[in-house]
Amino acid sequence: MVDKGEYRTAIVHVTLTGSSYRLAHDSCHAAALLWNQAVDFVHGEWKAKRSPSKYDIQAHLNSLDRQDRPLHAHTTEIIAHDLHEAIKTSHANRKNGMKVRSPWRKKNYRPLSFTKNFGWRISKDQLHLSLGRGRPRIDVAIPTIVDSATNKNVDPELWGEIQLCWDQDNRRFSLHIPYQTLREISTGHAVTAIDEGVINPMTLATWVDDTTIDVTIINGREGRAIKRQRNKSVGQIQRKISRCKNGSRKHRRLVMARKKINGKTKLALRDFDHQVSRKAANHVINHNTTRLVVGDVRGIEKKTKQRRSANRHQRQQLSQWSRGRQEGYLSEKTNVEIEHLNESYSSQTCPACLTPNRPSGRYYRCKNPDCGFTCHRDAVGAVNILQKAIYGEYIPIGPDATIRVTYLRAVERWSLDQRKAHRKVQCQKARALSSAQNRALSDVTQISKPILANSFTSTDSSVPDQLVVVA
Ligand SMILES: [Zn+2]
């Protein structure tokens, strides 16, 4: 069933040419200056025992000299509203016991927002980003956005408020374009439990019928490899940086190299998190889930050193674990809100007899001689969370219950051997095809050669070049 619309944000890199680039650069600086002014204004108001609303901040910015706000009026407005929003969030977080300050830092660069129909407009083949009446505008080629759910191009009519952001690591501008998309809404009433882990980012469990539990384990090998590679190279560069003089040419070069690595990794990890959540979302949608329960591991990465709960490698893994982002993506992709549930002992308790075990390795074996339950370790955690989500406590799954485990890789990449084997088959196919065509064409060859050359290149482009030469 397809009905409700949702917003997704596409991030597209743009190449700005000479004057547009400078314009974007100057405007981002100007936006930061406006932000700083707004922050100063708010702090001044607080000193005078007043609490300004977002319209007060907006009015203050609008009262500035026109030269000091060389942006579209809506862009300025959004800066004021963003600041107000940030203050509200900091207040809410402080109420929840977090140590946070409302915005105070001077900014040097800020993204620019352009509202639909006013801030941005499309003419023949360009996207115009307006900086206000009477000022030059930033022109970029119209980006193509493909909806990841439907694989179709998104019409600019469905785009929302565009942001022009500077990608610090990749050193280029990018457009953040939210667009409306249609997605499937589940109508079932199944409960799916998720056990999260560093090695297997998500393990999902759902009761299919009275005796079967479907478990999908998503493997995160790819993500670990990306992070490990990054940590190693950044560590090497960092050691070199510590040995050279600050600001020297070598220093600058090393800092650039580090940025490059970080930029690439950032994109790769974002893709990885999307892949993980897509695989999880497929499980959720296929089982008609309306309730998603996740074992609560929030805050596990905090104070690991004081608590001595992990060695330094594990600490690094924990702090780089993008669990929250994967949950966010999953919730977006499925339109199901995520609940958190205390998951203590979920991976140690036997789902069949509730005996506590301490599994070693990736496989779970119950030590109770009357039970003898064996299963994949992460599946155990997910099944227990599922039982707790349904019944409020850990309940044995019953003697005739079967756990059906599907093992998925987050990213389907072939091994070197697989790739080699595939290439071999492809080459054989191409060779067979080309020789068959040669045989068919060999009669024609004797009649007229130039026509053959033309007809061959135009009719079949799938045959590799070197094989054409043989012909
Ligand atoms: Zn057992």
Side-chain angles (χ1 to χ4, degrees):
M1 197 176 95
V2 178
D3 64 277
K4 209 181 130 194
E6 124 192 69
Y7 271 94
R8 282 191 189 168
T9 305
I11 300 178
V12 268
H13 290 290
V14 285
T15 358
L16 295 176
T17 47
S19 61
S20 279
Y21 185 90
R22 270 190 299 280
L23 207 56
H25 176 79
D26 293 341
S27 307
C28 285
H29 272 310
L33 288 178
L34 279 179
W35 170 274
N36 294 345
Q37 295 227 19
V39 169
D40 287 345
F41 166 73
V42 171
H43 283 252
E45 289 288 286
W46 284 343
K47 274 208 180 111
K49 303 276 180 224
R50 284 190 294 266
S51 52
S53 73
K54 65 178 173 183
Y55 301 107
D56 295 336
I57 306 174
Q58 189 185 330
H60 171 74
L61 289 185
N62 283 334
S63 71
L64 296 176
D65 201 37
R66 197 168 181 270
Q67 283 164 340
D68 293 340
R69 41 183 178 95
L71 304 169
H72 193 277
H74 286 179
T75 311
T76 318
E77 189 178 303
I78 289 165
I79 291 174
H81 293 190
D82 277 354
L83 175 61
H84 189 258
E85 205 57 36
I87 292 169
K88 249 175 39 186
T89 312
S90 71
H91 285 181
N93 285 342
R94 205 157 36 209
K95 245 181 210 159
N96 290 334
M98 281 157 84
K99 267 190 185 172
V100 282
R101 283 176 74 174
S102 51
W104 58 280
R105 210 187 288 273
K106 290 271 179 285
K107 286 193 189 292
N108 193 30
Y109 225 61
R110 249 195 83 77
L112 303 170
S113 302
F114 301 94
T115 49
K116 189 174 183 167
N117 298 333
F118 301 98
W120 65 266
R121 205 163 47 77
I122 278 184
S123 72
K124 270 180 302 181
D125 52 350
Q126 279 197 314
L127 172 65
H128 306 296
L129 306 171
S130 168
L131 295 173
R133 190 168 293 168
R135 296 198 193 92
R137 60 194 179 192
I138 303 169
D139 295 332
V140 290
I142 299 175
T144 335
I145 295 178
V146 181
D147 187 352
S148 55
T150 56
N151 256 342
K152 281 181 191 146
N153 279 4
V154 182
D155 190 57
E157 276 296 305
L158 299 171
W159 297 358
E161 178 190 305
I162 297 181
Q163 274 199 319
L164 180 67
C165 304
W166 173 248
D167 185 343
Q168 203 173 14
D169 291 316
N170 289 305
R171 307 198 59 71
R172 52 187 174 179
F173 279 104
S174 53
L175 292 174
H176 292 214
I177 308 179
Y179 61 88
Q180 223 175 3
T181 171
L182 295 172
R183 68 174 158 187
E184 307 221 350
I185 305 287
S186 143
T187 49
H189 41 77
V191 183
T192 295
I194 302 180
D195 184 33
E196 295 175 328
V198 175
I199 291 173
N200 295 320
M202 281 186 176
T203 307
L204 302 99
T206 316
W207 281 101
V208 194
D209 49 50
D210 293 340
T211 54
T212 324
I213 303 176
D214 251 357
V215 173
T216 307
I217 300 175
I218 300 162
N219 185 281
R221 181 197 316 238
E222 185 81 16
R224 273 183 297 150
I226 298 168
K227 282 178 203 161
R228 196 173 130 72
Q229 175 76 29
R230 189 251 328 258
N231 296 344
K232 262 174 90 172
S233 351
V234 168
Q236 272 169 6
I237 293 175
Q238 205 63 41
R239 269 195 294 283
K240 280 185 195 158
I241 287 179
S242 70
R243 279 201 293 269
C244 63
K245 215 174 130 193
N246 208 344
S248 65
R249 186 195 290 201
K250 191 173 179 198
H251 185 270
R252 267 208 319 269
R253 216 174 270 163
L254 287 169
V255 169
M256 283 302 289
R258 188 180 60 194
K259 272 191 178 167
K260 201 170 173 186
I261 291 169
N262 279 333
K264 266 190 173 173
T265 319
K266 195 168 80 180
L267 296 181
L269 285 178
R270 180 169 163 264
D271 178 58
F272 170 75
D273 288 341
H274 269 300
Q275 301 265 15
V276 169
S277 56
R278 169 45 63 200
K279 300 276 167 2
N282 287 347
H283 176 106
V284 170
I285 291 167
N286 290 341
H287 288 89
N288 278 326
T289 299
T290 42
R291 199 172 151 224
L292 253 183
V293 184
V294 178
D296 195 358
V297 281
R298 288 175 295 180
I300 201 173
E301 71 284 358
K302 280 183 192 150
K303 298 198 174 162
T304 40
K305 198 164 186 180
Q306 291 94 313
R307 284 196 278 133
R308 297 176 190 236
S309 53
N311 67 30
R312 67 192 188 98
H313 298 288
Q314 290 165 335
R315 281 207 297 274
Q316 189 178 39
Q317 272 191 346
L318 281 176
S319 71
Q320 293 175 352
W321 185 12
S322 46
R323 175 193 58 73
R325 186 160 70 167
Q326 286 165 2
E327 277 178 26
Y329 286 163
L330 176 61
S331 176
E332 272 172 30
K333 286 187 168 82
T334 55
N335 197 23
V336 181
E337 204 130 315
I338 287 180
E339 292 173 41
H340 288 96
L341 193 77
N342 182 2
E343 54 113 48
S344 43
Y345 305 109
S346 66
S347 59
Q348 296 176 8
T349 311
C350 171
C353 69
L354 302 187
T355 310
N357 295 286
R358 294 211 115 206
S360 58
R362 306 310 304 165
Y363 217 71
Y364 185 95
R365 199 166 275 117
C366 183
K367 69 182 178 202
N368 180 355
D370 302 336
C371 170
F373 174 86
T374 56
C375 191
H376 194 283
R377 180 181 175 172
D378 287 296
V380 170
V383 168
N384 277 325
I385 295 170
L386 178 63
Q387 291 297 83
K388 195 174 183 182
I390 298 172
Y391 302 107
E393 55 180 328
Y394 298 141
I395 294 237
I397 51 172
D400 51 350
T402 44
I403 298 176
R404 210 160 53 190
V405 177
T406 320
Y407 205 75
L408 291 178
R409 278 192 206 169
V411 182
E412 281 141 20
R413 220 181 286 286
W414 287 355
S415 72
L416 218 61
D417 289 344
Q418 280 172 318
R419 217 174 304 160
K420 248 185 219 160
H422 177 77
R423 206 177 300 148
K424 210 170 156 189
V425 173
Q426 289 298 308
C427 277
Q428 279 168 357
K429 270 189 194 164
R431 217 169 291 141
L433 182 73
S434 103
S435 57
Q437 273 164 342
N438 288 346
R439 249 178 276 124
L441 287 165
S442 59
D443 309 332
V444 192
T445 324
Q446 283 142 13
I447 304 163
S448 62
K449 266 185 180 169
I451 296 171
L452 166 73
N454 282 336
S455 68
F456 200 90
T457 43
S458 62
T459 49
D460 201 314
S461 56
S462 67
V463 178
D465 285 347
Q466 69 262 37
L467 295 173
V468 177
V469 177
V470 173

